[in-house]
């Protein structure tokens, strides 16, 4: 978490750093700060608790200028959000400043040692030890001092260092899951935690890997390992366009990201279902088909929304590939005494490909000899490099912290993989697989129809926004839809919500129900529709208001429900991809009507690189 930006060039770096930080705010927004080398060659800076706009206000009052600078937006781990704990953190001399993303695990003992050596600390952060260590290690060569410091700190981090003794250079290092990309401009260089932050300035980028350092100046960069050995890496031409990181007239990024879901699904499908409606993934997956035929079990992992998309995949793989499929939250993966072996295919779901829990789970799977398929949105991410094969979701950059379009693209990727695996393993009839392949192509139009109901859903949101709690229920392949609907609502509106397998309601959650606790039931066509209707009746009998997601024209549901969000009929195996859309809209409208910060909900961050 936290966002890091660096700039060295011929322009004033302050507006560039602020603009790039704005695009990284999804990584944390407890406080922000900036440090530059000013026209007199001195290190100077500004910091502010709260969102980036507070820092921008401070800079309006007291402007800074400089052509070499660092910026940071923070998600607090050590030390509460405050001006003092905001990055950058300086050493005692005020010549060196550091920004940092991640955790320094041995910071307490380092801090004690540094205090004993006479250093004084201004903050409660783990980061500040790095600045003081560099000061101690600096014998006139900043890069050597940073390198020596890296041998003393333990943890997973990305960090950036600026020094007035070295005014035209910046030093960055990455260990573990905290990403860093270098952007190459014309006589100017950029560094950021994520590609979209610098897309406006350059599409030429180099991605840092674990245990690598980069030194930038306005003419270029030098990439090395922590020992200083040079590393050659191809420059990547990023295909995302800068506009995809803009709101395009929508009130929030989340709203825009929901409305582009039809085109995102088209992109995820493009070239992957052939004219006969067969899924074709062999070339890009690069996992041997003989290995896929030998698999006896599938184990799926991920966090948050990605876990829910994985769960949709679990039902698809069971239905089409007739394989045992188990799910484990990535944060629990290591502790579950899992039985993994070379015949178990592990599927790791992660939009960012950088989530620390997911990366650790993948390492456990690999250590057990289990082949790993990553389902991921970011090219060159940590997951994409660790996995044996990658299926890219092609969702484009997502800025809203609440995942929407990336969830839908992950679920579609799972459909593609299940269709492909079933064909390779001959576990389902070609006719059935082709029928689903054909139906998949119609998903963009179906999602589009759901989005047309946005205004109706806002009216329902108006009535539901004061709910004490909301229960989401679904069965079978729409259990993950219920979980995802509840997650969306709680994370952006702060209304308590729970997602449940509908049959479990009577074993506990039904005790919560009264006129102030509505029940949202996913009640579309399929093998569980009748059962869900019974569960809705049970809730209605307890005076709960009923919101149903149902297929157009379902009179029985309309008679039972207080509000119906209509969705088009699709094959039951594809229904989660359509049914989630009104639930995303419901969460959005409730949060917006309540005046919540939809794109940056409190306490959250989009990419969680701490365990
Ligand atoms: C965070 C985000 C969630 C996301 C989860 C997993 O908690 O707030 O929206 O689902 O991380 O992220 P990943 O990048 O691994 O999909």
């Amino acid at each position: 978490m936290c966002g890091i930006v660096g700039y060295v060039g011929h322009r004033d770096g302050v507006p560039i750093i602020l603009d790039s930080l704005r695009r990284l705010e999804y990584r944390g927004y407890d406080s922000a700060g900036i440090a530059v080398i000013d026209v007199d060659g001195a290190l100077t800076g500004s910091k502010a608790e709260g969102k980036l706009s507070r820092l921008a206000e401070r800079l309006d009052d007291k402007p800074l200028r400089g052509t070499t600078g660092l910026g940071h937006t923070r998600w607090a781990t050590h030390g509460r959000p405050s001006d003092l704990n905001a990055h950058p953190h300086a050493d005692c001399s005020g010549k060196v400043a550091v920004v940092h993303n991640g955790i320094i695990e041995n910071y307490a003992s380092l801090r004690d040692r540094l205090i004993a050596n006479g250093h004084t600390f201004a903050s409660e952060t783990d980061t500040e030890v790095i600045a003081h260590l560099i000061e101690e290690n600096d014998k006139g060569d900043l890069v050597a001092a940073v390198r020596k410091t890296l041998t003393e700190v333990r943890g997973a981090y990305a960090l950036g260092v600026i020094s007035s003794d070295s005014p035209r250079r910046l030093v960055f290092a990455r260990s573990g899951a905290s990403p860093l990309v270098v952007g190459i401009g014309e006589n100017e260089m950029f560094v950021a935690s994520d590609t979209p932050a610098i897309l406006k300035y350059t599409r030429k980028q180099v991605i840092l890997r674990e245990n690598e350092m980069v030194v930038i100046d306005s003419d270029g960069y030098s990439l090395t390992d922590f020992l200083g050995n040079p590393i050659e890496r191809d420059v990547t031409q990023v295909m995302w366009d800068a506009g995809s990181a803009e709101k395009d007239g929508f009130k929030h990024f989340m709203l825009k990201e929901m409305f582009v879901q039809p085109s995102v699904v088209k992109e995820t499908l493009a070239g992957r279902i052939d004219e006969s409606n067969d899924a074709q993934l062999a070339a890009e997956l690069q996992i041997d088909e003989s290995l896929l035929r030998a698999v006896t079990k599938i184990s799926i992992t991920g966090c948050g929304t990605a876990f829910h998309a994985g769960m949709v995949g679990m039902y698809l793989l069971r239905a089409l590939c007739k394989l045992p499929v188990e799910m484990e939250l990535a944060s629990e993966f290591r502790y579950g005494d899992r039985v993994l072996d070379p015949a178990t295919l592990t599927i790791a779901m992660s939009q960012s490909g950088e989530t620390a829990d997911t990366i650790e789970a993948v390492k456990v799977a690999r250590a057990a000899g289990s082949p790993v398929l990553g389902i991921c949105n970011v090219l060159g991410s940590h997951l994409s490099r660790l996995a044996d094969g990658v299926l890219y979701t092609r969702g484009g950059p997502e800025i809203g912290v609440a995942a929407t379009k990336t969830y839908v693209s992950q679920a579609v990727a799972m459909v593609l993989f299940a269709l492909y695996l079933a064909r390779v393993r001959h576990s389902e009839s070609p006719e059935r697989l082709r029928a689903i392949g054909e139906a998949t192509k119609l998903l963009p139009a179906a999602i589009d129809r759901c989005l047309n109901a946005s205004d109706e859903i806002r009216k329902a949101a108006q009535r539901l926004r004061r709910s004490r709690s909301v229960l989401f229920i679904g069965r079978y392949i729409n259990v993950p839809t219920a979980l995802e609907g509840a997650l969306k609502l709680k994370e952006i509106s702060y209304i308590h919500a729970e997602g449940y397998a509908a049959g479990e309601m009577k074993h506990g959650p039904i005790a919560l129900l009264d006129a102030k606790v509505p029940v949202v039931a996913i009640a579309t066509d399929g093998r569980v529709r009748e059962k869900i209707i019974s569960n809705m009746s049970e809730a209605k009998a307890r005076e709960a208001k009923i919101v149903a997601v149902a297929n157009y024209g379902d009179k029985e549901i309309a008679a039972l429900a207080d509000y119906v969000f209509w969705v088009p009929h699709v094959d039951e195996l594809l229904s989660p991809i359509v049914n989630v859309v009104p639930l995303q809209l419901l969460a959005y409208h409730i949060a917006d009507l309540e005046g919540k910060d939809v794109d940056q909900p409190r306490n959250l961050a989009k990419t969680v690189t701490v365990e």
Side-chain angles (χ1 to χ4, degrees):
M1 344 264 278
C2 302
I4 291 178
V5 174
Y7 175 79
V8 188
H10 49 87
R11 298 189 258 179
D12 177 17
V14 174
I16 295 171
I17 292 169
L18 274 183
D19 175 61
S20 301
L21 285 178
R22 186 169 61 78
R23 293 162 206 278
L24 287 178
E25 248 194 316
Y26 71 84
R27 301 180 65 85
Y29 32 81
D30 293 336
S31 59
I34 188 165
V36 293
I37 307 293
D38 70 13
V39 281
D40 301 323
L43 179 64
T44 170
S46 184
K47 328 197 225 190
E49 182 191 340
K51 300 209 165 160
L52 193 61
S53 50
R54 297 273 306 277
L55 176 67
E57 283 162 21
R58 278 203 186 162
L59 288 167
D60 283 345
D61 289 347
K62 217 170 154 230
L64 290 179
R65 278 182 73 82
T67 52
T68 305
L70 283 178
H72 188 268
T73 178
R74 178 170 189 244
W75 186 84
T77 57
H78 292 67
R80 68 193 167 82
S82 68
D83 282 5
L84 279 181
N85 287 334
H87 299 214
H89 291 287
D91 66 345
C92 299
S93 71
K95 285 184 172 180
V96 173
V98 174
V99 291
H100 164 223
N101 163 203
I103 290 176
I104 304 300
E105 284 161 5
N106 57 336
Y107 88 100
S109 58
L110 290 170
R111 189 179 160 109
D112 290 347
R113 192 189 95 198
L114 288 158
I115 290 172
N117 287 354
H119 291 263
T120 47
F121 279 74
S123 77
E124 304 154 324
T125 63
D126 52 343
T127 306
E128 199 182 335
V129 297
I130 306 169
H132 293 282
L133 282 173
I134 295 172
E135 183 180 19
E136 282 214 333
N137 293 327
D138 196 349
K139 309 280 183 268
D141 179 348
L142 177 67
V143 180
V146 174
R147 207 176 285 141
K148 169 95 188 344
T149 299
L150 298 181
T151 62
E152 296 177 271
V153 295
R154 258 199 340 267
Y157 54 78
L159 57 88
V161 183
I162 186 168
S163 166
S164 53
D165 282 344
S166 204
R168 297 297 294 153
R169 285 197 301 178
L170 293 171
V171 184
F172 295 86
R174 171 185 177 167
S175 118
S178 308
L180 277 181
V181 296
V182 180
I184 303 163
E186 291 289 323
N187 302 320
E188 54 184 357
M189 296 290 295
F190 309 81
V191 169
S193 299
D194 200 356
T195 293
I198 48 176
L199 215 46
K200 191 166 143 191
Y201 307 105
T202 176
R203 289 193 183 191
K204 287 199 310 197
Q205 299 192 356
V206 171
I207 296 166
L208 252 73
R209 298 188 183 158
E210 272 185 76
N211 303 323
E212 290 182 354
M213 285 176 71
V214 70
V215 181
I216 61 165
D217 59 29
S218 54
D219 297 328
Y221 66 98
S222 100
L223 183 65
T224 65
D225 63 16
F226 281 5
L227 299 172
N229 298 310
I231 294 172
E232 291 292 320
R233 170 112 0 105
D234 288 345
V235 174
T236 313
Q237 186 74 26
V238 181
M239 300 312 284
W240 293 349
D241 74 89
S244 50
E246 301 294 342
K247 279 190 205 153
D248 290 344
F250 285 92
K251 186 173 177 190
H252 294 102
F253 279 111
M254 181 182 175
L255 190 61
K256 175 195 160 188
E257 286 157 1
M258 290 187 291
F259 272 81
V260 297
Q261 288 179 121
S263 43
V264 164
V265 171
K266 277 187 203 150
E267 194 56 38
T268 309
L269 292 173
R272 288 166 164 174
I273 295 197
D274 66 15
E275 281 170 10
S276 320
N277 295 318
D278 285 324
Q280 300 291 0
L281 300 179
E284 60 180 301
L285 281 192
Q286 298 196 332
I287 297 186
D288 215 55
E289 291 195 352
S290 60
L291 191 151
L292 293 176
R293 273 191 282 273
V295 162
T296 56
K297 188 179 78 179
I298 295 182
S299 169
I300 304 176
T301 192
C303 299
T305 290
F307 184 79
H308 298 157
M311 215 165 159
V312 172
M314 172 182 80
Y315 289 102
L316 283 159
L317 290 161
R318 283 182 186 161
L320 300 176
C321 305
K322 329 283 189 235
L323 273 167
V325 186
E326 53 185 36
M327 297 284 315
E328 184 75 87
L329 288 164
S331 52
E332 288 295 315
F333 200 90
R334 260 185 291 178
Y335 313 113
D337 298 321
R338 317 197 58 68
V339 180
L340 297 164
D341 55 30
T344 306
L345 175 70
T346 298
I347 304 183
M349 315 285 298
S350 176
Q351 185 280 127
S352 61
E354 304 288 350
T355 302
D357 289 323
T358 309
I359 297 298
E360 289 307 316
V362 167
K363 288 180 182 165
V364 170
R366 287 194 63 109
S370 166
V372 176
L373 169 67
I375 297 193
C376 182
N377 194 30
V378 180
L379 260 76
S381 61
H382 202 159
L383 172 61
S384 71
R385 293 195 314 277
L386 273 182
D388 297 280
V390 187
L391 183 56
Y392 286 105
T393 49
R394 304 179 184 160
E398 189 173 65
I399 310 294
V401 166
T404 51
K405 65 173 181 168
T406 57
Y407 172 74
V408 162
S409 66
Q410 284 170 335
V412 172
M414 267 298 194
V415 173
L416 287 168
F417 181 66
L419 290 174
Y420 167 68
L421 188 64
R423 187 162 60 74
V424 169
R425 294 173 64 91
H426 306 293
S427 54
E428 181 56 85
S429 73
E431 293 71 32
R432 170 85 176 119
L433 295 178
R434 286 184 186 138
I436 299 172
E438 189 176 10
T440 306
K441 293 179 180 167
L442 302 176
L443 283 172
I447 294 172
D448 210 33
R449 256 186 108 183
C450 299
L451 290 165
N452 286 338
S454 181
D455 291 347
E456 282 304 306
I457 293 173
R458 193 170 178 91
K459 284 183 205 150
Q462 197 55 275
R463 312 287 291 271
L464 296 166
R465 60 194 267 208
R466 292 288 144 82
S467 304
R468 191 174 67 231
S469 177
V470 181
L471 201 60
F472 289 75
I473 57 171
R475 279 177 179 254
Y476 175 49
I477 198 164
N478 279 298
V479 171
T481 312
L483 296 173
E484 180 60 10
L487 179 62
K488 285 290 88 85
L489 184 64
K490 75 180 113 183
E491 66 184 345
I492 60 170
S493 74
Y494 320 143
I495 294 173
H496 172 251
E498 284 193 51
Y500 250 94
E504 280 296 290
M505 192 174 70
K506 58 188 175 293
H507 299 298
I510 201 164
L512 292 171
L513 298 187
D514 61 25
K516 289 203 171 130
V517 180
V519 171
V520 180
I522 296 110
T524 46
D525 295 343
R527 59 167 81 160
V528 293
R529 181 178 160 280
E530 299 302 321
K531 290 271 194 288
I532 279 278
I533 290 177
S534 307
N535 300 136
M536 289 162 67
S537 307
E538 290 156 15
K540 199 172 176 68
R542 272 82 186 175
E543 295 186 9
K545 291 266 175 296
I546 307 292
V547 183
V549 175
N551 289 127
Y552 280 103
D554 191 328
K555 293 202 180 80
E556 196 179 353
I557 304 255
L560 197 57
D562 298 276
Y563 308 93
V564 185
F565 300 158
W566 298 112
V567 296
H569 172 90
V570 294
D571 190 293
E572 191 174 20
L573 288 178
L574 303 179
S575 64
I577 296 163
V578 172
N579 294 347
V580 75
V581 177
L583 305 188
Q584 297 169 339
L585 288 166
L586 178 66
Y588 170 79
H589 286 305
I590 289 181
D592 184 40
L593 287 165
E594 287 292 296
K596 299 291 189 273
D597 192 339
V598 171
D599 285 332
Q600 295 179 342
R602 68 183 181 203
N603 302 339
L604 296 179
K606 190 158 188 74
T607 306
V608 183
T609 51
V610 292
E611 284 175 54

